[in-house]
Amino acid sequence: THFKSKDLRIVPLTSCAKIIELLQGNKIIVNHLGVDFESNARKTHETESIVSSVRAFHALLHQLSAHMLHTKPHNALDKIPFETRMYSIGSHDLRRLLEMDDVGWGGVIHCMAANMKWMVQNSCKFAPLV
């Protein structure tokens, strides 16, 4: 089935992918997934925190996993490794993690990677896109 996030868009660029959050009132927030080495705005990106980008990426993965889980009967898919909610994954609450909590954010990344693997392994249970 087709999935389209209601409030997030991915802009895949070779130099630095972006997740764009669409807010009310036609406002947007651009989250950089990495460092844009080709951009003149590189100095700006060096001072940005990756935390907002990880939170936006989590939001997108949460929406996609919820879509998968609600599209198929629960017995048709393998159990997702880490439960996700809007602001949490596994035992990690993304609203409470401090920016410098490398261990906590490392746990978040681990959970997200495990859930992405689950998505790939279970995607074959959906009809192919034509």
Side-chain angles (χ1 to χ4, degrees):
T1 63
H2 298 280
F3 169 77
K4 182 177 180 181
S5 173
K6 63 181 180 182
D7 60 345
L8 298 167
R9 302 291 181 268
I10 293 181
V11 180
L13 302 172
T14 57
S15 57
C16 179
K18 296 169 178 40
I19 295 180
I20 300 175
E21 293 182 66
L22 308 173
L23 306 174
Q24 291 180 347
N26 293 328
K27 295 180 182 178
I28 64 170
I29 296 175
V30 177
N31 296 287
H32 302 272
L33 298 175
V35 177
D36 187 351
F37 291 106
E38 296 176 5
S39 171
N40 291 335
R42 182 173 175 205
K43 291 183 187 275
T44 303
H45 299 323
E46 289 175 352
T47 61
E48 292 176 356
S49 168
I50 191 71
V51 169
S52 61
S53 298
V54 172
R55 285 185 177 130
F57 191 52
H58 163 75
L60 185 62
L61 291 179
H62 168 67
Q63 290 177 20
L64 182 55
S65 63
H67 173 77
M68 290 175 71
L69 290 167
H70 289 84
T71 302
K72 287 287 187 186
H74 289 284
N75 60 353
L77 299 174
D78 300 330
K79 185 178 184 303
I80 191 165
F82 297 97
E83 181 181 355
T84 66
R85 297 193 186 279
M86 186 174 288
Y87 299 108
S88 66
I89 185 165
S91 63
H92 305 282
D93 185 336
L94 280 66
R95 296 170 297 184
R96 295 192 176 155
L97 283 176
L98 300 175
E99 184 177 333
M100 302 306 289
D101 184 354
D102 293 340
V103 173
W105 286 109
V108 168
I109 299 299
H110 168 78
C111 293
M112 290 170 65
N115 282 4
M116 286 190 293
K117 181 179 177 184
W118 172 86
M119 289 176 189
V120 169
Q121 291 171 336
N122 284 275
S123 64
C124 63
K125 298 175 183 175
F126 292 83
L129 297 176
V130 180

